[in-house]
Amino acid sequence: MSPDALPSIFDLTRSELSDAIAELGEPAYRGKQIWKALYVEDATSFDEITTLPRLLRDRLAQRYRLDPLTAVLQRKSNDGLVEKTLFRLADGELIETVLMRYESRDGSRARRTACISTQAGCALGCTFCATGQQGFRRQLTAGEIAAQVLHVNRRLAAQAKPGEDKERVTNVVFMGMGEPFANYDNTMRAVGILNDDDGVRLGARHMTISTVGLVPQILKLADEPYQINLAISLHAPNDKIRSATMPINRRYPIARIMRACRTYISKTNRRISFEYVLLSGENDRPEHAEELGELLKGMLCHVNLIPVNATDAGYTRPPDGRIGKFRDILKRSGIAVTVRFEKGTDIDAGCGQLRARALTGAD
Ligand code: SAH
Ligand code: SF4
């Protein structure tokens, strides 16, 4: 079998790996050693895992691929804080991963956030989104999702200065290409792999899943054991505006999403983030802010205003004054709100933009 046709070892959960090792007739501690080599020691080949006997390394290499992602393009923003990687998967599909560095400020800890993809492309066609405009290609496996974080960890480790501790990813946001809830099972498997105590050890509280608002999956997440953060891409205060930019709104209109969010909050007691991409002339007027304030009043939530990253679709960000006014109206309605100023616009860090550039050859 060609190496590319082998299953990826990163698709196995911890207990599946233990089972596979038992089937090979190996003692259980070998499974632990392999897990540690993959998720703590950043192994890039079976050969490197010298804690294992050579015969076992060979047997593993005959059965599994170790790295499902190949970096084909790497960009760093001018301020050095954002790095974006375009990966080719074993079958040639392309996905993007972004590393965002936030230095410590006002007592907050420095963060190294990986923004990862869950699908190659996306079927949902939001008009302002570069990924949505490229259509759906395929689901990512759990290993392809989790391995993006491992790549970022390796990059951070490679950048450590001699004598300094290696930096690691501290937070993960499922906000890259694709709709995580349209690939629910693999996304949750990846959460489990990343959360494992003997591996990457990312606390669920440090992970955020962003969804376009798929109601059945919002309800399903409320019953998961993980204390993961939920972000809802709302982007409009009413159905008329929302349906104009987000076709999925016809299937799950705002009232249904709100009902699911209320159930989610009452079950989990966790705060929801609503994302609101500001599109000049579409959803950024003071009356839209008033309407949004009414919609969210009294809810355990937070609003993230995101001036749109310009794409080929012709949307532009509102002037700063209008963004500030929108924020102030929400504040006056008693809603917790922040403005997320773009990071990495100089490297096409917005969702799906680098892939679009690579495919069209524009640059
Ligand atoms: N499919 C999921 C997660 C991936 S998109 C979702 O839609 O939530 C992650 C976030 O980026 C979403 O809030 C999405 O609306 C936003 N986004 C998409 N295109 C954008 C653009 N051009 N500028 C700013 N944000 C954008
Ligand atoms: Fe898909 Fe999210 Fe882009 Fe909409 S914004 S097209 S759901 S990736």
Side-chain angles (χ1 to χ4, degrees):
M1 210 188 280
S2 93
D4 280 355
L6 296 172
S8 163
I9 194 157
F10 293 113
D11 283 332
L12 302 181
T13 62
R14 176 78 180 273
S15 65
E16 287 167 351
L17 180 65
S18 304
D19 293 348
I21 292 304
E23 266 169 39
L24 291 176
E26 295 285 340
Y29 71 89
R30 293 288 183 213
K32 286 192 186 143
Q33 284 176 322
I34 296 167
W35 191 263
K36 189 163 170 228
L38 296 179
Y39 294 104
V40 182
E41 289 157 1
D42 304 336
T44 53
S45 71
F46 289 111
D47 222 31
E48 265 171 52
I49 314 179
T50 47
T51 45
L52 305 178
R54 163 147 304 282
L55 183 65
L56 178 55
R57 283 183 263 160
D58 290 345
R59 291 174 80 197
L60 289 168
Q62 283 155 13
R63 284 167 178 78
Y64 299 105
R65 271 184 297 126
L66 193 140
D67 197 339
L69 310 177
T70 311
V72 289
L73 206 64
Q74 185 82 44
R75 292 257 190 107
K76 202 172 194 165
S77 62
N78 292 333
D79 60 11
L81 296 177
V82 185
E83 282 179 47
K84 179 157 190 167
T85 309
L86 182 73
F87 291 110
R88 193 175 35 237
L89 307 178
D91 62 352
E93 289 298 338
L94 297 170
I95 58 160
E96 301 176 7
T97 304
V98 183
L99 159 65
M100 292 169 287
R101 294 179 163 83
Y102 301 88
E103 296 312 335
S104 55
R105 215 181 46 186
D106 308 332
S108 69
R109 285 197 313 154
R111 278 177 289 147
R112 302 291 176 252
T113 301
C115 175
I116 64 176
S117 298
T118 52
Q119 300 181 310
C122 181
L124 298 175
C126 302
T127 55
F128 47 81
C129 172
T131 304
Q133 294 310 301
Q134 294 167 55
F136 178 71
R137 305 288 304 180
R138 73 165 169 84
Q139 304 287 18
L140 300 192
T141 67
E144 287 167 338
I145 298 170
Q148 295 170 62
V149 177
L150 305 182
H151 258 275
V152 177
N153 268 343
R154 275 184 220 143
R155 256 195 98 66
L156 286 169
Q159 289 169 8
K161 298 196 180 77
E164 273 181 8
D165 282 345
K166 295 190 290 191
E167 287 184 332
R168 307 301 271 176
V169 169
T170 59
N171 296 71
V172 168
V173 293
F174 293 81
M175 294 186 185
M177 300 173 84
E179 166 53 41
F181 280 176
N183 189 13
Y184 188 92
D185 291 346
N186 288 347
T187 297
M188 293 318 292
R189 271 171 83 89
V191 166
I193 291 169
L194 295 172
N195 184 241
D196 187 274
D197 256 355
D198 294 319
V200 182
R201 297 189 63 182
L202 268 165
R205 285 164 192 269
H206 293 135
M207 298 190 228
T208 301
I209 296 185
S210 175
T211 176
V212 75
L214 303 187
V215 165
Q217 289 88 332
I218 294 172
L219 297 173
K220 207 166 167 194
L221 188 72
D223 293 325
E224 296 283 352
Y226 301 112
Q227 303 260 310
I228 203 158
N229 301 300
L230 176 63
I232 308 276
S233 294
L234 193 58
H235 308 332
N238 60 50
D239 285 329
K240 186 158 180 277
I241 298 178
R242 197 166 192 265
S243 296
T245 52
M246 303 175 74
I248 190 70
N249 193 62
R250 289 182 210 113
R251 176 120 164 255
Y252 297 116
I254 292 178
R256 282 196 66 191
I257 296 176
M258 289 301 140
R259 220 178 307 136
C261 287
R262 290 206 165 81
T263 306
Y264 174 91
I265 291 168
S266 69
K267 278 194 177 175
T268 63
N269 213 16
R270 288 205 297 274
R271 188 177 79 158
I272 290 182
S273 294
F274 288 99
E275 293 171 273
Y276 195 102
V277 169
L278 287 161
L279 308 164
S280 188
E282 307 281 332
N283 64 357
D284 62 337
R285 285 204 294 275
E287 58 267 34
H288 299 145
E290 303 277 1
E291 202 178 350
L292 185 63
E294 274 306 306
L295 183 70
L296 302 178
K297 198 174 253 169
M299 218 169 163
L300 184 60
C301 72
H302 175 271
V303 172
N304 226 325
L305 299 175
I306 309 159
V308 69
N309 243 315
T311 66
D312 297 339
Y315 292 102
T316 53
R317 53 171 288 163
D320 286 351
R322 212 174 323 146
I323 298 172
K325 188 156 187 198
F326 199 99
R327 178 196 54 206
D328 293 344
I329 294 171
L330 282 176
K331 266 192 190 158
R332 251 183 280 127
S333 312
I335 311 280
V337 53
T338 45
V339 181
R340 189 201 296 160
F341 281 101
E342 318 90 301
K343 286 173 87 58
T345 44
D346 55 321
I347 55 164
D348 295 318
C351 174
Q353 294 183 323
L354 197 59
R355 176 179 184 274
R357 290 264 178 283
L359 289 180
T360 57
D363 200 10

